[in-house]
Amino acid sequence: VNPIEGYDGLLVGAADFAANTYTPGTHHVVLEILDPSRSQDFYVMYNRKKGPNSEVGFVPDLVTVTLGKSRQVSWHQAALGTNEIANNFEKFRASNWNGGDKDLVVKVCGMTTGPPD
């Protein structure tokens, strides 16, 4: 994902990917946000508690932001939902994205249920 252009799309959980109940090109499981100024990049996913993730106990059914490298350990940065969910954040901000004076902002604009969910 190129944050300069923005991303306005739909995330689905791993269960929908595993069950092939998603639309390629429309739904995404993981977003990778590269930041050449950092030694690690940001990853965004919907941590849906369903199917292969049905036993997840950490921030279930929320959008998670992690910091890491592809195929390596990543570190939890935020759990995001909408402001209608108690004790929840709707956006994540990382200062000086790409070494510049702008911040990277990841915001959940809405969450819906139903196939895929």
Side-chain angles (χ1 to χ4, degrees):
V1 172
N2 181 345
I4 294 170
E5 296 172 8
Y7 173 80
D8 183 9
L10 303 171
L11 293 174
V12 295
D16 290 314
F17 177 78
N20 201 28
T21 57
Y22 70 101
T23 305
T26 299
H27 300 109
H28 298 93
V29 178
V30 178
L31 303 178
E32 179 183 48
I33 304 171
L34 303 176
D35 186 342
S37 71
R38 299 177 195 258
S39 61
Q40 298 177 320
D41 300 311
F42 291 100
Y43 295 86
V44 181
M45 68 176 281
Y46 178 38
N47 196 30
R48 179 73 169 118
K49 186 175 182 173
K50 179 182 170 186
N53 275 3
S54 63
E55 300 294 320
V56 71
F58 184 68
V59 296
D61 298 333
L62 294 174
V63 174
T64 61
V65 180
T66 62
L67 183 64
K69 277 298 201 189
S70 180
R71 303 189 189 280
Q72 295 181 14
V73 173
S74 61
W75 305 100
H76 176 75
Q77 302 295 300
L80 309 173
T82 61
N83 57 12
E84 295 138 7
I85 301 172
N87 300 318
N88 196 34
F89 298 102
E90 69 174 353
K91 63 183 168 182
F92 164 79
R93 181 180 302 272
S95 300
N96 306 104
W97 178 80
N98 200 22
D101 60 354
K102 302 212 186 261
D103 295 347
L104 169 70
V105 177
V106 176
K107 180 178 180 180
V108 174
C109 297
M111 297 179 81
T112 59
T113 58
D117 62 359

